Amino acid sequence: MINLRLTRRETLQMGAVGLAALALPFSLAEEAQAATEPFTLPPLPYATDALEPVIGSQTMQIHHGKHHQGYVNNLNKALEGHPDYASWPLEDLLGKLNELPESLQKGVRNHGGGHHNHSLFWQSMLPPEKAKKTAPDKALTAAIERDFGTLENLQKKFQAAGAGLFGSGWVWLAADPSTGYLNIRTTPNQDSLLLCSHDVPLLGNDVWEHAYYLNYQNRRGDYLKAWWDLVNWEKVSERYS
Ligand code: MN3
């Protein structure tokens, strides 16, 4: 005689198997969808708590996992109705914004810009103990001395530009690729430097409140000053060359 009465534990186990079986087609569907989506969120190159104490773990989790993921999702959504442009590299979408259908431009400007800016941002930083071992290489040092006098002066100008930017946006160290001259620039919202100039972004800091509010509240200036402890000058030098 078969005992059809199941213990509570067995019921739970069956429930778990049943749920797993149910979940499988959905996760496969999600994977298939992700594979066909033009853009995906790049993983952080370090743990979310690696940039402490300058940027806290909770800020990193929300900033990368929610904000940046949101730009990626919305960029993909904007491209859904424009399959001809879904295979374009992000730099081309941003750099040739005026050539895109008008109905696509806003999505690329805001969310494509957000995706590009944040991707550069994560790569520009290192945990403090690693960042302090990096320095501008010979070519970048020469350019900094020519265009700003000293690195300290560059940092002061960068901080002042970031602090003076009204509302949300980005502050940049940029290079003119034809002359090698360095510039401090700002862009509003999620505008990419690639939209408005031929300057190449070497280093950008995010001055949206979501980037610093949990640690610094309204003290944007303090955030801008502390942030240098995270800058990966090796990466910046590589971009310059
Ligand atoms: Mn941000």
Side-chain angles (χ1 to χ4, degrees):
M1 184 177 154
I2 303 163
N3 184 0
L4 288 173
R5 287 183 62 197
L6 297 169
T7 63
R8 180 178 154 74
R9 188 188 159 91
E10 281 163 338
T11 312
L12 284 173
Q13 278 172 344
M14 231 179 78
V17 171
L19 279 177
L22 271 176
L24 188 63
F26 291 112
S27 69
L28 285 176
E30 268 168 27
E31 239 171 71
Q33 194 191 357
T36 59
E37 270 167 359
F39 294 101
T40 50
L41 180 69
L44 282 176
Y46 31 70
T48 52
D49 62 357
L51 305 186
E52 286 182 353
V54 181
I55 302 177
S57 182
Q58 198 187 359
T59 293
M60 290 299 288
Q61 283 170 31
I62 299 169
H63 199 178
H64 176 258
K66 304 289 180 195
H67 289 278
H68 190 174
Q69 181 73 68
Y71 298 123
V72 171
N73 293 349
N74 286 320
L75 174 60
N76 287 333
K77 212 173 281 171
L79 285 163
E80 264 173 19
H82 301 279
D84 292 354
Y85 298 91
S87 62
W88 281 33
L90 186 52
E91 286 77 8
D92 288 354
L93 288 169
L94 292 166
K96 297 174 185 170
L97 191 79
N98 294 337
E99 297 173 28
L100 305 181
E102 228 181 301
S103 57
L104 181 57
Q105 289 187 13
K106 195 176 159 194
V108 167
R109 180 176 199 137
N110 292 339
H111 304 295
H115 179 32
H116 194 258
N117 292 341
H118 287 86
S119 299
L120 284 175
F121 184 58
W122 312 129
Q123 294 289 339
S124 303
M125 297 185 287
L126 280 175
E129 66 279 10
K130 285 187 183 166
K132 74 177 173 203
K133 291 181 193 147
T134 71
D137 70 3
K138 217 172 142 191
L140 183 60
T141 299
I144 289 170
E145 286 171 357
R146 180 194 60 206
D147 300 332
F148 297 98
T150 61
L151 177 60
E152 200 188 4
N153 199 32
L154 177 162
Q155 290 173 321
K156 269 189 201 157
K157 285 190 172 169
F158 188 101
Q159 284 169 226
L165 175 62
F166 183 74
S168 298
W170 290 77
V171 54
W172 302 99
L173 173 66
D176 181 325
S178 53
T179 61
Y181 278 101
L182 301 175
N183 252 318
I184 303 287
R185 305 276 306 268
T186 60
T187 54
N189 307 312
Q190 290 298 348
D191 281 8
S192 164
L193 263 192
L194 306 180
L195 288 178
C196 47
S197 68
H198 68 290
D199 275 4
V200 174
L202 302 179
L203 176 68
N205 196 357
D206 187 340
V207 295
W208 283 58
E209 283 186 347
H210 68 224
Y212 62 85
Y213 208 83
L214 293 178
N215 289 97
Y216 301 88
Q217 293 81 45
N218 62 324
R219 292 172 285 116
R220 188 194 279 186
D222 290 353
Y223 161 67
L224 280 156
K225 199 173 170 191
W227 181 75
W228 296 113
D229 288 348
L230 304 177
V231 171
N232 179 357
W233 285 106
E234 215 169 278
K235 181 58 83 178
V236 181
S237 303
E238 196 183 290
R239 289 184 187 138
Y240 185 66
S241 69

